[in-house]
Amino acid sequence: MVFKRLLGSLGVGGPTVDTVLDPGAARPGGTLTGQVHLMGADADFDIEHITLELVARVEAEHDGGESEGVVAFERFTVGGGFRLGAGQRHSVPFTVALPWETPVTELYGQHLGVVLGVRTELAVAGAKDKGDLDQLNIAPLPVQEAILEALGQLGFGFRSADLEYGRVGGTGQQLPFYQEIELTPAPQYAGQVNEIEVTFLANPGGMEVVLEADKRGGLLSSGRDALTRFTVAHDGVEHQDWNGIVDGWIRQLVEHRAAYGHHGDPYAYGHGHGDHHPHDGHRSGPGMGTAVAAGAAGLAVGVVGGMVAAEVVDEVGDFFEGEEEEEG
């Protein structure tokens, strides 16, 4: 999805900017490549700088309820310091490094409902204009894909994915928001939890995997969550028994949840692979419009091979169209 925009701050007759990302999904911690195409106007203009801004649609919970907004989480200056002649075409290629915590937007080519964008800012003669907005697609890292694959093989199904403003306590989180991938429980756990939530917090040395399980509320108590945190490496993914590792994580998580039910401690700390900590702030339910049509099979073999819910595709398009209209 590419938008050509007139430099609104200069009115009719200003240069236009058109940013084109190279085909294919990028990965967290990887590179994003493309070109910024400029088209000169009726007069010469001095291009002071060209900046790319990574933005995300994020949900936030507060006393008044829940709201959505756009959060910028990284900026790159990719060019500038030249004169664009009248009617002149000029292209600026770029290669930038994505943050390791960049959220995953797709799995096996199926969109998860998480919306990221690349916004282009052009500064000309002291005026700035956010002149182009393009959809950013992010595929999972090999270790993320292996863990999600294992969850699917174990019988968990995809429910939704969203981005939550706030921090996961006790982790090395860098961005001002985190991603939650919500899964329906495997049959063997269906009587114990309503859903499992997975959060990946990657870094150059490895990745923190935060697993959260809800606790069913009884007649005399409201539902609460139990949470565990594990650390994995990027290397040697293909040599690990991920089904066994992830199944051990889930069993430990469910046991901690059960222990909380008996002892009144909402967070039971794990052993072995790592520890875990509660999320800061309030809990949230499934993100609006982010459900993917789910089959009876698991995350890897059934759900992502099915149809993407129409509302997901519509909402992705509406986000970019709405941003364009608001800036216009």
Side-chain angles (χ1 to χ4, degrees):
M1 187 179 300
V2 176
F3 297 91
K4 294 183 178 180
R5 288 286 306 279
L6 183 68
L7 188 62
S9 56
L10 296 178
V12 177
T16 59
V17 57
D18 179 16
T19 299
V20 180
L21 305 180
D22 287 347
R27 293 184 187 271
T31 58
L32 179 68
T33 59
Q35 295 194 45
V36 179
H37 301 298
L38 301 176
M39 180 64 188
D42 298 334
D44 296 349
F45 284 91
D46 290 323
I47 308 300
E48 296 178 356
H49 70 248
I50 303 169
T51 301
L52 302 181
E53 187 175 60
L54 304 185
V55 297
R57 186 187 63 191
V58 177
E59 297 181 3
E61 289 195 349
H62 43 78
D63 292 340
E66 187 177 89
S67 60
E68 289 187 341
V70 177
V71 174
F73 60 96
E74 187 62 280
R75 286 173 63 87
F76 311 95
T77 298
V78 298
F82 62 90
R83 175 170 287 257
L84 184 66
Q88 179 185 358
R89 295 180 181 272
H90 184 76
S91 295
V92 178
F94 62 85
T95 299
V96 297
L98 294 172
W100 281 95
E101 291 180 16
T102 301
V104 175
T105 67
E106 64 176 56
L107 181 62
Y108 302 123
Q110 295 287 348
H111 204 280
L112 302 181
V114 172
V115 182
L116 303 181
V118 180
R119 179 181 282 156
T120 306
E121 179 183 279
L122 194 64
V124 181
K128 296 181 181 180
D129 183 77
K130 299 181 186 300
D132 194 23
L133 181 63
D134 299 271
Q135 183 174 333
L136 176 59
N137 297 318
I138 304 294
L141 292 165
V143 67
Q144 292 172 327
E145 186 172 305
I147 292 170
L148 294 174
E149 175 84 20
L151 286 164
Q153 295 292 335
L154 292 170
F156 292 86
F158 179 85
R159 174 173 287 167
S160 66
D162 59 16
L163 304 180
E164 296 285 340
Y165 190 81
R167 298 190 57 80
V168 182
T171 68
Q173 181 183 341
Q174 299 295 312
L175 297 184
F177 56 84
Y178 56 90
Q179 181 174 20
E180 286 185 339
I181 300 175
E182 300 177 358
L183 308 176
T184 58
Q188 62 268 34
Y189 299 113
Q192 299 169 282
V193 294
N194 285 318
E195 67 179 22
I196 299 289
E197 294 181 350
V198 183
T199 294
F200 296 120
L201 298 173
N203 58 69
M207 188 177 67
E208 293 176 276
V209 184
V210 182
L211 297 176
E212 189 169 10
D214 75 295
K215 180 183 184 299
R216 292 180 183 274
L219 294 176
L220 301 178
S221 64
S222 60
R224 297 292 297 274
D225 299 328
L227 186 148
T228 59
R229 180 172 65 88
F230 305 91
T231 302
V232 296
H234 294 299
D235 298 331
V237 174
E238 66 277 10
H239 303 303
Q240 301 292 327
D241 175 17
W242 288 107
N243 281 20
I245 293 172
V246 173
D247 188 50
W249 292 351
I250 298 297
R251 290 179 182 275
Q252 183 174 333
L253 176 64
V254 172
E255 288 172 1
H256 291 166
R257 189 214 59 78
Y260 152 63
H262 291 294
H263 302 294
D265 180 4
Y267 300 102
Y269 286 84
H271 304 282
H273 293 285
D275 56 9
H276 60 275
H277 302 267
H279 287 289
D280 290 342
H282 300 287
R283 287 286 305 111
S284 67
M288 294 180 290
T290 58
V292 172
L299 185 72
V301 292
V303 176
V304 291
M307 296 291 291
V308 176
E311 59 264 28
V312 172
V313 179
D314 292 341
E315 196 162 293
V316 171
D318 291 344
F319 170 77
F320 287 98
E321 292 174 6
E323 285 290 297
E324 289 294 307
E325 292 173 0
E326 182 177 337
E327 292 173 9

